[in-house]
Amino acid sequence: MPPESNRRADQATAAAVLVALLAGLASLTLALGVLDGIPHVADGISYSLQGKIFAAGKLKLAPPPWPAAFGVENIILQPGLWCSMYPPGWPLMLSIGWLVGSTVWITPLLLAVAIVGAFRLGVLLFDHRTGLLAAALLGVSPFALFMSAGFMAHTPTLALLTWCAVFWARAHQTNSRRAGLASGLLAAAAFSTRPLTATAMLIPVVLIYGLSALSSTERRAKVSRLAGWAIVGSAGPLIGLLLIQHHTFGSAFTAGYSIYAPELRPFALPAGLGEAGELVSRRFLWFVGQLGGSVWGLPWGDLTLPLIGILAPLAPAWRRQDRRADLFLTVSAASLVVVYSFYYYRDVTHGGPRFAFEALVPMALLAARGLTLLYDQLVASPLPRLWRSVVATLGLAVLLVLPLSTRLPLLVDYHFSWYHGQSGELLRRIDAAGVGPRAVVLLGGDRAAFGSILLENALDPFAGDRIYLRDLPAVRPQLIAQADRPEVWLVRLELQPLPGVNPYTDRAVLTGFQSWRLDTAEPAATSGN
């Protein structure tokens, strides 16, 4: 590579790393300043509890006395078993945070890792300018920033799958054994984090790649060699997953989902053409519509630029280019949406359709392809050079500033409420009421509020310091006797639902907070909103 090309490549790499760091810091700021550094969605609470369990060197816990006082959605709480229902990949990463005293920084860091991965993938598949544009587009996505401010498993999976693709592309181009092994390892780690998402995005691409190898004996040998390395690399995480499931649930092939909700049938396969049409018209198009307005919040639709990238073969200048990379990106993103169109559940979380979140890197790369096509057309236009530079600079500035100046403030306002019934304000109000460090706190009122506060308990709640329990009036004396603490407090919360984007209530405002000390005759009661 000539010195000038080396210099430009180094500049693009430095710019991509800077974008990643800024995006990670922005996401961390949202996590601390808007979300109070706590998990809000039930999934995140469940993942966090399992991470805390792993950090203690355990796979599961024995249920505490009076388990109903600790019940939280998506957490298995049965005789002999207290743990998350989710796969262990993400909780294992969270356990690092529990060991060092903070978990809030992990998802913002993984967003930065995913952005650098998007850049590297763009360089390997296309060129440095496409990679840098993709990194910038991912870094200014309000959906990516807010999802990475939470505690769900989507950002970790995004990072794992992106770097899996990076190493696979490198292995394909260089025949590197290490890259092939790393690709398999990351694919298996993604499967151990979000199995359905990893399967939906990887299997179609692998099939297309395998079919493309049938054209020659040499290509078949190369694909077989790369696949062998990837399979060897995947062995460690997959064996680890099976061992954890065996020791947790009694069988290597039993997942937490089947323990938590054995009656659940996650997929609704169409019974006929009419039902298939309903799935396409309502579910698939719902995902498309949500992605069209939530990734960047552009007034002309967020799918416009990726579509330009997909339709680029129609441009005369691009007709002779190898389009396999574009095909792989398109198929991986589309496959994810199609698979989850048959899933039993869908909603909008942290600003977008959560089950399509991992499509953001393919979308950013395809959008970058669309932008480079438009730029090439602009360069070829008869406009004076100065005007071309002005148009390109203003256009790029608008694309990068609009999401942060329009869509992001809306999401900040949406999340500032008691998002999914959770807020750091609850703990602050409890402390302000004068609750002591060795007290037992019975939390009543709105049931949704007892979620992330569960994580404030010790893993053996009755052996720790302050204890937080759901208030169960029918057995309140027994709970108080079990806790055996010098202070007993009853706290009641009232939340008023606010209009939201989901059929269920995902945001609320605090309308009442009351606290009583039950172990003294003094009238220690406070109220307010």
Side-chain angles (χ1 to χ4, degrees), residues 440-516:
V440 58
V441 179
L442 304 168
L443 186 61
D446 197 296
R447 288 189 56 81
F450 190 89
S452 59
I453 203 165
L454 170 70
L455 302 172
E456 299 294 324
N457 288 323
L459 290 180
D460 183 356
F462 291 104
D465 292 326
R466 189 186 290 174
I467 309 171
Y468 296 95
L469 306 168
R470 287 188 182 276
D471 181 36
L472 305 176
V475 294
R476 187 184 294 163
Q478 293 92 322
L479 290 174
I480 294 172
Q482 181 73 47
D484 189 24
R485 293 304 169 92
E487 295 181 27
V488 179
W489 289 78
L490 174 63
V491 172
R492 290 186 61 82
L493 285 179
E494 298 299 333
L495 300 177
Q496 178 181 330
L498 296 174
V501 296
N502 288 303
Y504 60 85
T505 298
D506 65 356
R507 60 197 295 254
V509 62
L510 179 67
T511 57
F513 176 92
Q514 296 177 299
S515 63
W516 298 269

Side-chain angles (χ1 to χ4, degrees), residues 32 35 43 90 109 135 150 158 192 197 280 299 370 401 468 473 501:
L32 295 172
L35 298 178
D43 305 42
W90 175 222
L109 175 63
L158 181 75
S192 300
T197 295
V280 172
V401 171
Y468 296 95
V501 296

Side-chain angles (χ1 to χ4, degrees), residues 396-482:
L396 184 60
V398 167
L399 284 172
L400 299 182
V401 171
L402 266 181
L404 301 179
S405 61
T406 58
R407 176 72 177 164
L408 185 61
L410 294 177
L411 293 185
V412 169
D413 180 69
Y414 197 94
H415 287 76
F416 253 133
S417 60
W418 283 58
Y419 190 62
H420 282 250
Q422 309 302 306
S423 172
E425 185 179 353
L426 172 58
L427 193 57
R428 291 192 291 271
R429 289 207 176 218
I430 289 174
D431 289 336
V435 178
R438 293 282 298 170
V440 58
V441 179
L442 304 168
L443 186 61
D446 197 296
R447 288 189 56 81
F450 190 89
S452 59
I453 203 165
L454 170 70
L455 302 172
E456 299 294 324
N457 288 323
L459 290 180
D460 183 356
F462 291 104
D465 292 326
R466 189 186 290 174
I467 309 171
Y468 296 95
L469 306 168
R470 287 188 182 276
D471 181 36
L472 305 176
V475 294
R476 187 184 294 163
Q478 293 92 322
L479 290 174
I480 294 172
Q482 181 73 47

Side-chain angles (χ1 to χ4, degrees), residues 230-253:
I231 291 171
V232 172
S234 70
L238 292 180
I239 292 172
L241 172 65
L242 295 175
L243 288 174
I244 289 174
Q245 291 184 164
H246 172 74
H247 289 289
T248 304
F249 306 120
S251 169
F253 299 100

Side-chain angles (χ1 to χ4, degrees), residues 16-17 20 109-125 131-132 134-135 138 158-167 169-170 361 365:
V17 171
L109 175 63
L110 289 173
L111 173 63
V113 170
I115 290 172
V116 175
F119 167 73
R120 291 300 307 156
L121 186 58
V123 171
L124 288 168
L125 297 181
L132 182 56
L138 182 59
L158 181 75
L160 290 168
L161 289 175
T162 301
W163 279 97
C164 167
V166 169
F167 283 111
R170 185 179 296 172
V361 166
L365 283 164

